[in-house]
Amino acid sequence: MSEILVLGSLNMDLVANVKKMPRIGETIVGDQFSQIPGGKGGNQVCAMARLGASVSMIGCVGEDDFGKVLKASLKNDGADVSSVKSVDGVSTGIAMIMVDERADNSIVVIPGANYSVDQRLIDENEKLIDDCKIAVSQLEVPLEVVEHFIVNSKKRGKYTILNPAPAKHLSDELIKHIDLLTPNETELETISGCKVSTIEEAKIAAKVLIDKGLKEVLVTLGEAGSLYINKDRIKHFPTFKVKAIDTTAAGDSFTAAIAVGKSEDMKLDDAIVFASKVGALTVTKKGAQSSLPSREEVNNFRGE
Ligand code: RIB
């Protein structure tokens, strides 16, 4: 039995470190190539397990070497991956990532087996939903399956968290079954239909969603920190200053840490500070799951 249940994607990240991103039509020589376990779902599961949570995952990989490595790696971190199905005839998800010297990245995802996740897989794993306290998803598996998972989890009294990445339009039915949405500014723009380039605009966009029945919004603002909004309260949280090497998976680890904080009954403000530390530590190392901190590293972190 796990306290946190994650529905989501697993990708093998094929990462090229480059000085500058190539322009259209340009060929460049990169500095380094690495193959690193990733996928927004897998990254969240890995982060939760390293932070000490009991976590189970629902997802799909192909019957290939990447799929085996991704499952084994999460299992090694202590996550329950017995409901990650190996699907015949499709390849495991892949993400082609370029990271430049400024720590910025650009990512192309080939979903592969992630798009084999279907409603039947959720229904087959109803017991995991019944047993968990918190249900978490992102948007790298089919949207209708995410909706089925979130609506079902909410109806069974679970605290539901959606990290809406990559951004997609969400139905009103899905929105009203989400307890906490963790978008960045562009994701909030897509979901709310409002322009979001300032904190004031983020507040207005979040209110649009709260009026539709969403309980809480926690907008990540990169170096500007995060902004929490519910129907009665708005609070800005600054970020911790670190030297950024690679921002891959920072959003994933932030959402994961909020779920861990909630599972430990932390006060929400404390959970957001905890998540800000986890997000800051994540950008100090290269790669997705290779950069996710342990609980000990977070406890020892003395950021400014
Ligand atoms: O959020 C980072 C993740 O996005 C990468 O690990 C990659 O697999 C893509 O899913």
Side-chain angles (χ1 to χ4, degrees):
M1 169 181 157
S2 292
E3 291 227 306
I4 309 178
L5 176 60
V6 177
L7 164 70
S9 58
L10 299 103
N11 296 328
M12 184 56 83
D13 290 354
L14 307 177
V15 186
N17 288 95
V18 296
K19 291 203 168 44
K20 277 189 191 155
M21 296 289 174
R23 284 168 297 163
I24 290 170
E26 188 184 17
T27 300
I28 60 164
V29 175
D31 296 331
Q32 199 188 3
F33 170 75
S34 330
Q35 205 170 284
I36 302 170
K40 296 183 193 303
N43 295 345
Q44 293 184 5
V45 169
C46 177
M48 290 166 185
R50 287 192 192 159
L51 294 171
S54 67
V55 51
S56 295
M57 179 169 196
I58 301 175
C60 287
V61 291
E63 281 192 336
D64 48 26
D65 287 347
F66 282 169
K68 290 190 187 100
V69 171
L70 292 174
K71 279 182 77 168
S73 167
L74 291 178
K75 195 171 173 193
N76 189 44
D77 275 307
D80 166 27
V81 288
S82 52
S83 296
V84 174
K85 191 169 152 190
S86 299
V87 185
D88 193 17
V90 280
S91 30
T92 296
I94 282 175
M96 311 198 52
I97 303 183
M98 276 187 287
V99 182
D100 70 14
E101 275 188 337
R102 294 183 315 178
D104 289 327
N105 62 36
S106 72
I107 305 181
V108 178
V109 172
I110 310 294
N114 293 308
Y115 277 8
S116 298
V117 173
D118 57 13
Q119 296 192 5
R120 192 149 42 124
L121 188 62
I122 306 300
D123 297 341
E124 282 167 8
N125 286 291
E126 267 181 356
K127 172 115 181 40
L128 286 179
I129 301 183
D130 280 334
D131 287 348
C132 79
K133 189 166 159 186
I134 298 170
V136 182
S137 194
Q138 331 71 35
L139 298 177
E140 279 188 333
V141 295
L143 183 57
E144 67 276 11
V145 187
V146 173
E147 180 163 329
H148 184 66
F149 173 72
I150 294 284
V151 171
N152 249 319
S153 302
K154 190 67 231 162
K155 285 187 174 156
R156 286 158 195 260
K158 311 302 166 178
Y159 184 82
T160 56
I161 301 179
L162 181 67
N163 174 218
K168 285 182 187 155
H169 176 77
L170 307 182
S171 71
D172 289 354
E173 174 71 0
L174 173 54
I175 288 174
K176 73 177 184 214
H177 287 88
I178 301 169
D179 286 307
L180 176 67
L181 188 78
T182 58
N184 63 20
E185 289 150 290
T186 50
E187 289 153 3
L188 180 58
E189 222 170 70
T190 304
I191 297 163
S192 67
C194 305
K195 186 168 167 285
V196 180
S197 55
T198 62
I199 288 188
E200 273 318 303
E201 287 174 349
K203 288 178 192 169
I204 293 166
K207 285 281 184 203
V208 168
L209 302 178
I210 286 169
D211 288 346
K212 290 186 176 182
L214 175 73
K215 308 281 176 314
E216 305 167 289
V217 184
L218 181 56
V219 192
T220 53
L221 305 165
E223 287 176 6
S226 58
L227 187 70
Y228 172 80
I229 303 151
N230 71 9
K231 72 177 179 21
D232 313 306
R233 192 163 85 97
I234 295 176
K235 186 166 174 182
H236 176 253
F237 293 79
T239 191
F240 290 91
K241 288 198 180 61
V242 287
K243 179 164 171 25
I245 303 287
D246 180 349
T247 56
T248 308
D252 305 334
S253 68
F254 181 86
T255 293
I258 292 287
V260 173
K262 289 292 287 183
S263 77
E264 295 178 7
D265 296 324
M266 278 185 205
K267 287 195 186 121
L268 189 74
D269 286 22
D270 294 339
I272 297 173
V273 173
F274 175 66
S276 305
K277 287 184 184 176
V278 172
L281 280 166
T282 303
V283 307
T284 62
K285 290 188 190 153
K286 280 187 184 176
Q289 290 172 32
S290 50
S291 70
L292 301 172
S294 67
R295 186 62 174 252
E296 200 187 349
E297 284 175 274
V298 183
N299 291 344
N300 292 335
F301 178 61
R302 300 276 167 265
E304 285 171 44

